[in-house]
Amino acid sequence: SVLRAQISKTYTNFQLSATLGQLRSIQIFVVGQARQPGVFTVSSLSTFVSALFESGGPSVSGSMRNVQLKRDGKVISTIDLYQFIRQGDKSADAQLLPGDVIVIPPAGPRVAVLGAVDTPAIYELKSAQEPMAEVLAYGGGVLSVTTPLKVLVERIDTSKGRAPRAVEERALDTAGLRSTLRDGDVVTHDRVAVIRLA
């Protein structure tokens, strides 16, 4: 009756019949560093992203930046979950077919962002090195209560022998934000010191 009422607004002297077909299910595989690896039965209308969330997504040691959809041994699509979560980018989403395999590889290089940021956490880098501005954006950017001019970067360099750990200050100017971070770096934002007046 709803369809007839809507169609009658445009057409006259018509006949209408509607039938509902049963949606079939398909089986896919989720392998690698997944929270719940295994075989999943999903709707034939499911997509790469929806199946990934239905399966629980990557485990703690799984990659968020390089999740692959494979079909007949070929990579059909690769999704960066950071882009999806931060920006809603579903350009890498794809319709699933029976027998598709979602592969979650181990996480790549990681950087810790600590201190006065919206979301302090350990973030996975897309490549071996990334600009500081990009990594800080993962943590929500610089807060107003953060020391505005600098951050501390703690880095491990095994080539330095007995003292492989070094701490350096980096300015939050154009050059500092373009400087790169790499696997194992720890970035700390200090809060602005509060002076209490008597």
Side-chain angles (χ1 to χ4, degrees):
S1 62
V2 174
L3 291 174
R4 185 180 298 278
Q6 294 299 316
I7 293 174
S8 64
K9 294 177 181 178
T10 307
Y11 299 100
T12 58
N13 299 324
F14 67 90
Q15 292 184 347
L16 175 67
S17 63
T19 58
L20 294 176
Q22 184 175 5
L23 294 176
R24 64 189 180 92
S25 298
I26 61 174
Q27 282 192 333
I28 62 163
F29 302 87
V30 180
V31 298
Q33 304 297 316
R35 287 186 186 274
Q36 301 173 31
V39 181
F40 289 84
T41 301
V42 298
S43 164
S44 58
L45 300 179
S46 294
T47 66
F48 184 11
V49 171
S50 64
L52 189 58
F53 278 92
E54 189 173 333
S55 68
S59 67
V60 174
S61 58
S63 175
M64 297 275 290
R65 312 300 304 268
N66 189 33
V67 183
Q68 298 176 339
L69 173 63
K70 289 190 173 182
R71 184 176 297 152
D72 298 327
K74 297 178 180 178
V75 177
I76 301 301
S77 181
T78 301
I79 194 165
D80 181 348
L81 288 175
Y82 280 21
Q83 294 295 322
F84 175 68
I85 294 169
R86 291 175 57 214
Q87 302 171 11
D89 182 1
K90 284 187 63 180
S91 58
D93 203 7
Q95 192 74 34
L96 294 178
L97 294 179
D100 280 355
V101 181
I102 295 175
V103 181
I104 304 176
R110 287 168 277 194
V111 168
V113 180
L114 307 174
V117 291
D118 275 338
T119 314
I122 296 174
Y123 294 98
E124 182 183 0
L125 303 181
K126 182 70 173 174
S127 57
Q129 297 187 35
E130 279 191 36
M132 185 183 297
E134 185 69 19
V135 176
L136 293 180
Y138 299 154
V142 179
L143 299 179
S144 59
V145 296
T146 307
T147 303
L149 302 178
K150 65 182 180 179
V151 294
L152 296 178
V153 178
E154 186 177 350
R155 173 167 289 176
I156 297 174
D157 188 352
T158 54
S159 66
K160 293 189 176 180
R162 290 185 176 181
R165 187 177 298 272
V167 179
E168 63 180 29
E169 289 185 355
R170 292 195 191 176
L172 289 177
D173 54 14
T174 302
L177 292 173
R178 285 181 181 169
S179 68
T180 57
L181 298 171
R182 66 187 191 198
D183 190 25
D185 284 354
V186 178
V187 180
T188 304
H189 280 279
D190 289 329
R191 290 182 177 272
V192 175
V194 177
I195 300 175
R196 297 182 181 274
L197 299 176

